[in-house]
Amino acid sequence: RKSIKKLTTGSKNLDDLLGGGLETQSITEFFGEFGSGKTQIMLQLAVNSTLPEENGGFDSDVLIIDTENTFRPERIIQMSKYKGLDPDTVLKRIHVARAYNSHHQILLAEKAADLSKEFDIKLLLVDSLTSHFRSEYMGRGSLAERQQLLNRHMHDLLKFGTINNAVIAVTNQVSARPDIFFGDPMTPIGGNIVGHTATFRIYLRKSKGGKRIARLIDSPYLPEGETVIQLSEDGIMD
Ligand code: ATP
Ligand code: MG
């Protein structure tokens, strides 16, 4: 077993909450309502993974499985400049795979192993983990099948993280009233559909301006707690 490494989020507050950053060989789930900052955090993690280790990165390539077409190169450029990185070099190291449906998403996660033969991928992001599954498996009758597929998918992701000593981070949009917004009677507040497999779960909620409150939920060994982060033009910070 390779020794666990940690990736900075760009926010000292959030890194501290996580005991130093996002851990390799486990899955970290960011969940929260629309606009809570999940995608911004994913983009920031992608940039940060290319940073040298002494600056909290892995000096590595990144794979993003993008299910909602929300990858924005312009944001990568802004965030890279702020970190003093060459934006073109950073963009070349971020491999974006667009997933057209849940089946394709599962396939892309399986194929990630092939990409890692060619590139040193230490960060695998899925944004959003749940959107395709939610829209394709609606109603009570299909929940068991959806859950089974999601579990298998998460297992594949975790396997990639273990073999490559990589960080896995995923997003999951939830609403305060999931019963109304997703027509999903089994999703409790907090969106528990991925909760069992994700080792670290961070609930994001909106605050004033670019501020967001990040809360660590059900961690196996870290204390539960919350902190404030800032979303800005330059990226995620305190
Ligand atoms: P969804 O569930 O809809 O995917 P999300 O949680 O992914 O939502 P984000 O897209 O990460 O939400 O967050 C959007 C927010 O990020 C904006 O409301 C704004 O506060 C902030 N943001 C995005 N781009 C910038 C920017 N260039 N400068 C400053 N803040 C920005
Ligand atoms: Mg998003």
Side-chain angles (χ1 to χ4, degrees):
R1 195 178 162 95
K2 293 167 198 147
S3 69
I4 287 167
K5 294 183 180 185
K6 291 181 183 184
L7 175 64
T8 184
T9 61
S11 155
K12 176 84 168 55
N13 291 343
L14 185 51
D15 286 354
D16 288 348
L17 188 71
L18 286 164
L22 271 71
E23 285 194 359
T24 58
Q25 304 182 43
S26 61
I27 300 177
T28 303
E29 174 198 349
F30 290 89
F31 67 106
E33 68 171 331
F34 69 93
S36 58
K38 303 181 293 295
T39 295
Q40 297 304 308
I41 292 173
M42 294 299 107
L43 297 174
Q44 184 71 64
L45 289 171
V47 171
N48 292 356
S49 191
T50 73
L51 285 167
E53 293 204 13
E54 60 265 32
N55 296 336
F58 297 148
D59 189 17
S60 86
D61 282 32
V62 179
L63 172 58
I64 304 182
I65 299 178
D66 180 9
T67 75
E68 300 184 308
N69 217 2
T70 50
F71 178 74
R72 292 287 173 273
E74 313 87 81
R75 291 295 286 140
I76 299 294
I77 292 168
Q78 287 174 318
M79 291 173 178
S80 299
K81 283 181 181 162
Y82 180 73
K83 294 280 182 192
L85 296 163
D86 173 49
D88 289 331
T89 310
V90 174
L91 280 170
K92 282 198 189 86
R93 301 185 81 174
I94 300 175
H95 310 268
V96 183
R98 179 86 210 282
Y100 296 99
N101 53 45
S102 64
H103 178 79
H104 189 210
Q105 181 179 334
I106 289 168
L107 208 67
L108 288 172
E110 290 170 0
K111 293 273 184 232
D114 295 342
L115 196 70
S116 70
K117 284 175 198 149
E118 199 179 338
F119 301 101
D120 177 33
I121 294 165
K122 291 272 181 287
L123 174 65
L124 170 53
L125 303 170
V126 187
D127 185 13
S128 144
L129 178 77
T130 46
S131 57
H132 284 317
F133 289 92
R134 278 210 165 100
S135 62
E136 293 165 33
Y137 297 88
M138 304 252 275
R140 239 173 242 281
S142 50
L143 284 178
E145 191 187 356
R146 180 184 81 180
Q147 197 55 48
Q148 193 195 343
L149 287 169
L150 252 177
N151 283 344
R152 202 187 87 195
H153 181 44
M154 300 236 354
H155 192 266
D156 291 340
L157 295 171
L158 190 57
K159 189 173 157 195
F160 182 92
T162 309
I163 291 171
N164 297 287
N165 200 20
V167 164
I168 312 295
V170 303
T171 69
N172 178 20
Q173 194 197 67
V174 298
S175 144
R177 292 299 306 275
D179 50 332
I180 291 174
F181 285 88
F182 300 122
D184 181 349
M186 276 175 66
T187 308
I189 293 168
N192 210 15
I193 60 171
V194 292
H196 298 294
T197 321
T199 322
F200 298 95
R201 307 189 66 217
I202 295 159
Y203 180 47
L204 296 167
R205 60 186 204 277
K206 294 174 193 167
S207 184
K208 291 196 189 81
K211 290 201 190 320
R212 297 292 184 273
I213 298 152
R215 165 168 274 275
L216 181 68
I217 313 260
D218 334 307
S219 165
Y221 59 87
L222 291 169
E224 196 162 297
E226 60 181 39
T227 192
V228 179
I229 62 170
Q230 180 78 46
L231 309 182
S232 79
E233 182 94 2
D234 292 326
I236 308 295
M237 53 192 71
D238 285 341

